Amino acid sequence: MTALTLGSAINAGLAKALERDEKVLLMGEDIGALGGVFRVTDGLQQRFGAQRVVDTPLAEAGIVGTAVGLALRGYRPVVEIQFDGFVYPAFDQIVCQVAKLHYRSNGRIRMPLVIRIPWAGGVGAAEHHSESPEAYFAHTAGLRVVAPSTPQDAYVMLQQAVASDDPVVFFEPKRLYHSKGEVDLDADLADAPPLHLARVAREGTDATIVTYGAQVRTALDAALAAEDEGVSLEVIDLRSLSPIDMNTVAASVRKTGRVVVTHEAARQAGMGAELIASITEQCFEYLEAPPQRVTGHDIPYPPSKLEKHHVPDLDRVLHAVDRVLERDAPGTAPGGSHASIVGGGAR
């Protein structure tokens, strides 16, 4: 096992994929000589050459459109969208071509294309540099959508995405790029959990928190804080947003009887809405309390100085836990101030 940051684990996964298959190539703005804005592709062009690690013009529609042509010709392109907010110029290519060519050709055409997107907030970036567009792509039939939260998952899931014959949107939580974890660099992909399976990040008995990406760390912090009050929280890391592993989610909710879903993206029509609808359909008779959502607000992503008020934090998650456990103080309106798991004070 080797201690790596999540960004370094992605770099190592890309290197493995390039070594394994000469048809794999990387494309993106500044990914070659510079090594990417976040240095995730650092050293790969020097190692594999400018024909396989390609610096592209600043034209996201052109990058993805070129990758579609390469995939049609038998290559396995991995494209980087420099920041999440820059994916929208390529949106037409992704939803009209990448997602539909397999269906449109009655299965004759495969689209082995990975679209890497540094994603969400936490780095104090400017406008268009911190977005949470995952629901757009999870809603689009024909795309796989995944989001690792640990260096080990980032390393393995990236290689699995490259090996997949389906197009994969690979969301990388950029506020976790520098978080460290143990990585098995000799991991056999054949022995790894399938790309679509969720992970039980922490076992518990009293309530379930379902989340993904950088919010997994917030959920684990909430579980640790709740433990001091005798509350046992189970944390489910979805890993895959399309398809969703509802078997793992439903098994946890049936065990605990209570569920909180949290994500950074806006509340309306977000992943939380889909998850809670599916949980209610599959687990209604097991639920002891209404499911709760803890999300970003229904606003354009705020400036960096205000994003701490937008991203769900420990207190907001624990407040939702209080509600599903019916621990609100008497007369307290939802979202109000009360004393409970975190010891009191305004939330």
Side-chain angles (χ1 to χ4, degrees):
M1 302 293 282
T2 305
L4 292 177
T5 64
L6 188 139
S8 296
I10 293 171
N11 181 289
L14 289 169
K16 278 281 190 181
L18 287 160
E19 287 175 354
R20 186 179 291 116
D21 187 346
E22 64 181 12
K23 293 292 187 179
V24 174
L25 55 87
L26 314 184
M27 303 168 56
E29 299 163 7
D30 298 320
I31 69 165
L34 180 66
V37 171
F38 296 99
R39 304 299 185 265
V40 171
T41 53
D42 191 33
L44 296 180
Q45 188 179 76
Q46 292 89 334
R47 182 173 171 187
F48 295 97
Q51 298 299 310
R52 296 190 67 197
V53 182
V54 183
D55 279 316
T56 67
L58 275 67
E60 286 78 15
I63 295 169
V64 176
T66 301
V68 169
L70 286 164
L72 287 171
R73 297 296 294 174
Y75 289 89
R76 291 183 175 271
V78 181
V79 305
E80 177 184 296
I81 304 297
Q82 194 171 71
F83 282 91
D84 36 30
F86 300 164
V87 75
Y88 302 117
F91 193 78
D92 177 69
Q93 291 282 4
I94 296 170
V95 302
C96 293
Q97 306 300 329
V98 175
K100 291 184 171 62
L101 277 168
H102 182 66
Y103 180 82
R104 187 184 301 151
S105 66
N106 199 25
R108 291 190 298 273
I109 294 175
R110 294 286 185 178
M111 191 53 45
L113 165 61
V114 178
I115 301 169
R116 294 180 43 243
I117 305 178
W119 155 69
V123 296
E127 186 180 7
H128 305 310
H129 291 66
S130 295
E131 302 280 343
S132 296
E134 61 266 28
Y136 293 124
F137 301 107
H139 176 76
T140 303
L143 299 175
R144 289 181 179 269
V145 183
V146 301
S149 68
T150 68
Q152 178 67 35
D153 271 352
Y155 175 70
V156 173
M157 291 170 66
L158 191 282
Q159 295 177 69
Q160 290 173 319
V162 174
S164 173
D165 285 333
D166 296 321
V168 180
V169 178
F170 196 90
F171 282 109
E172 301 170 6
K174 51 183 176 276
R175 67 177 142 135
L176 296 186
Y177 269 147
H178 298 293
S179 65
K180 283 193 173 182
E182 294 294 315
V183 178
D184 181 4
L185 294 174
D186 298 319
D188 189 337
L189 294 188
D191 297 329
L195 192 61
H196 68 277
L197 282 189
R199 174 177 71 99
V200 180
R202 179 185 174 115
E203 294 189 353
T205 57
D206 295 329
T208 299
I209 302 178
V210 182
T211 189
Y212 54 90
Q215 283 299 114
V216 173
R217 174 170 289 186
T218 303
L220 290 171
D221 288 343
L224 189 62
E227 187 177 40
D228 292 338
E229 297 292 326
V231 174
S232 175
L233 299 180
E234 183 148 295
V235 176
I236 303 297
D237 176 4
L238 286 178
R239 298 172 76 245
S240 173
L241 308 185
S242 182
I244 296 173
D245 177 13
M246 280 306 301
N247 289 336
T248 297
V249 173
S252 177
V253 174
R254 288 169 184 153
K255 178 175 69 173
T256 65
R258 295 171 169 84
V259 62
V260 172
V261 178
T262 179
H263 56 68
E264 183 174 324
R267 178 184 180 92
Q268 181 170 310
M271 293 301 303
E274 171 60 32
L275 284 159
I276 287 177
S278 297
I279 288 167
T280 303
E281 288 172 351
Q282 298 185 28
C283 307
F284 182 77
E285 65 271 28
Y286 294 89
L287 289 171
E288 302 289 342
Q292 298 292 312
R293 281 179 287 174
V294 186
T295 71
H297 303 296
D298 291 327
I299 58 173
Y301 203 94
S304 59
K305 289 184 178 180
L306 297 177
E307 72 178 4
K308 67 180 180 180
H309 301 292
H310 178 77
V311 178
D313 60 10
L314 180 70
D315 280 359
R316 287 176 62 193
V317 172
L318 288 176
H319 177 74
V321 171
D322 287 343
R323 294 200 66 203
V324 298
L325 293 173
E326 302 175 330
R327 291 167 61 105
D328 271 345
T332 300
S337 302
H338 65 289
S340 64
I341 289 176
V342 293
R347 299 264 175 104

